[in-house]
Amino acid sequence: MGYENIIFEVNEGIATITFNRPKALNALNGMLLDELAAALDEIEADEDIRVLVLTGAGEKSFVAGADITELATFNTLQGKMFSRKGQLTISRLQELAIPVIAAVNGFALGGGSEMALACDFIYASENAMFGLPEITLGIIPGFGGTQRLPRLIGSNRAKEMIFTGKMIPAAEAETLGMVNRVLPQAELMEATLKTARAIAAKGKVSLRAAKQAVNSGLDVDLGTGLKIEVDAFAICMASEDGKEGTQAFIEKRKPQFKGT
Ligand code: CO8
């Protein structure tokens, strides 16, 4: 499929989706969300893709939120449908079997922050700014922000961000635990791809099991989470990758994971 609002590339098992509406600071409109969904379909259908990286075109913005010019035209039903479409598409990032890294290269506001929060972790450039400014528009976050941000940084800090709509710089987002690493803009993509390559070299079965165990465990009590971990662990032990990884250690060689 040809894309107009994103750039979709795959290199050596690492897919990169670049949000590409620089004139609107890469704001999310309905067409962009449709293209994102189509790219995720392509990724799910390609067994060779091991890691997904999301970033924004240019050096100013990752995603400056939902496209406000489009939002302003919505009636209540259209707004509800748009919120649902955004939630479903963004939730697919969290549910994707492969790891997803957000390389936040500038503004990550509203739906842009919510997109990054649905990724497995975030690297950010020094100039990146995070925020959920919807309250200043008389609305609230509608792509999962009221749910994912409190889970990540605690309800009190999330409420302050959501109630004030204030933006915070990357360094503060790192202190709050939203961001794993802050890097100079020029180093952001290479550092992200270096981590992506390190992850891509691991076994696909164990990566999938690890992601699912962490994600599923976050919404349940510890006892249930530990049972989830036992089941995920058993899947790895039964896999060819599990046998290969342990055997390679014993034979003092590098494992050759096949993803089965
Ligand atoms: N939507 C559409 N266009 C945008 C957006 C946006 N979110 N953000 C920026 N742009 C456009 C500007 O209008 C401007 O266009 P033009 O050049 O044609 O005037 C261009 O991008 C450059 O922007 P600025 O001139 O404003 O650049 P500044 O550096 O002065 O400011 C800011 C950058 C601070 C990022 C500023 O543009 C801004 O505040 N943008 C809006 C941020 C925002 O409020 N985002 C939240 C949107 S709401 C949302 O995401 C809800 C998600 C859930 C939806 C649920 C659906 C019902």
Side-chain angles (χ1 to χ4, degrees):
M1 172 174 174
Y3 297 109
E4 289 173 28
N5 299 279
I6 62 170
I7 302 166
F8 177 50
E9 297 162 298
V10 182
N11 282 309
E12 293 173 11
I14 297 166
T16 306
I17 294 175
T18 306
F19 302 111
N20 191 30
R21 301 186 64 223
K23 283 185 185 152
L25 301 185
N26 306 323
L28 307 169
N29 60 9
M31 203 190 285
L32 187 152
L33 286 175
D34 289 340
E35 291 185 12
L36 174 60
L40 295 178
D41 288 343
E42 285 197 53
I43 289 167
E44 282 179 331
D46 187 340
E47 281 290 314
D48 293 333
I49 297 177
R50 318 288 294 268
V51 180
L52 169 62
V53 173
L54 298 184
T55 194
E59 297 196 341
K60 188 170 173 182
S61 183
F62 174 71
V63 170
D67 190 312
I68 299 170
T69 57
E70 197 178 73
L71 274 191
T73 66
F74 289 157
N75 61 28
T76 309
L77 183 62
Q78 288 168 322
K80 201 171 170 183
M81 283 166 59
F82 185 70
S83 173
R84 189 90 187 113
K85 183 201 278 210
Q87 277 190 5
L88 285 173
T89 310
I90 287 173
S91 290
R92 284 182 67 191
L93 298 169
Q94 189 172 325
E95 286 149 18
L96 217 57
I98 59 171
V100 184
I101 310 173
V104 174
N105 56 309
F107 291 114
L109 303 176
S113 265
E114 295 174 291
M115 182 84 73
L117 288 169
C119 296
D120 293 306
F121 55 87
I122 302 172
Y123 282 8
S125 57
E126 287 164 343
N127 65 317
M129 298 290 289
F130 294 81
L132 293 171
E134 287 88 344
I135 207 87
T136 59
L137 300 169
I139 56 175
I140 65 164
F143 290 163
T146 63
Q147 303 306 306
R148 289 196 179 94
L149 189 62
R151 281 169 168 79
L152 195 60
I153 66 171
S155 63
N156 53 343
R157 293 181 194 282
K159 282 177 186 160
E160 186 178 347
M161 282 182 70
I162 293 167
F163 295 172
T164 63
K166 73 167 186 173
M167 286 191 247
I168 59 167
E172 190 177 342
E174 186 182 27
T175 307
L176 291 176
M178 281 175 78
V179 166
N180 282 19
R181 277 183 78 183
V182 180
L183 296 134
Q185 174 76 251
E187 294 169 26
L188 174 66
M189 270 320 275
E190 193 40 48
T192 307
L193 290 172
K194 190 175 173 200
T195 299
R197 283 191 286 269
I199 293 172
K202 306 292 185 288
K204 208 170 177 180
V205 177
S206 50
L207 282 173
R208 185 186 304 130
K211 176 166 173 168
Q212 282 174 357
V214 174
N215 282 354
S216 305
L218 284 173
D219 291 327
V220 296
D221 63 276
L222 180 63
T224 310
L226 289 171
K227 284 184 191 133
I228 290 170
E229 187 181 78
V230 166
D231 290 343
F233 189 83
I235 289 169
C236 296
M237 287 306 291
S239 71
E240 291 301 319
D241 280 359
K243 293 186 179 70
E244 167 63 11
T246 46
Q247 196 58 35
F249 176 82
I250 292 163
E251 293 170 11
K252 299 191 187 306
R253 61 175 173 81
K254 275 195 163 179
Q256 299 290 324
F257 293 121
K258 294 198 173 69
T260 53

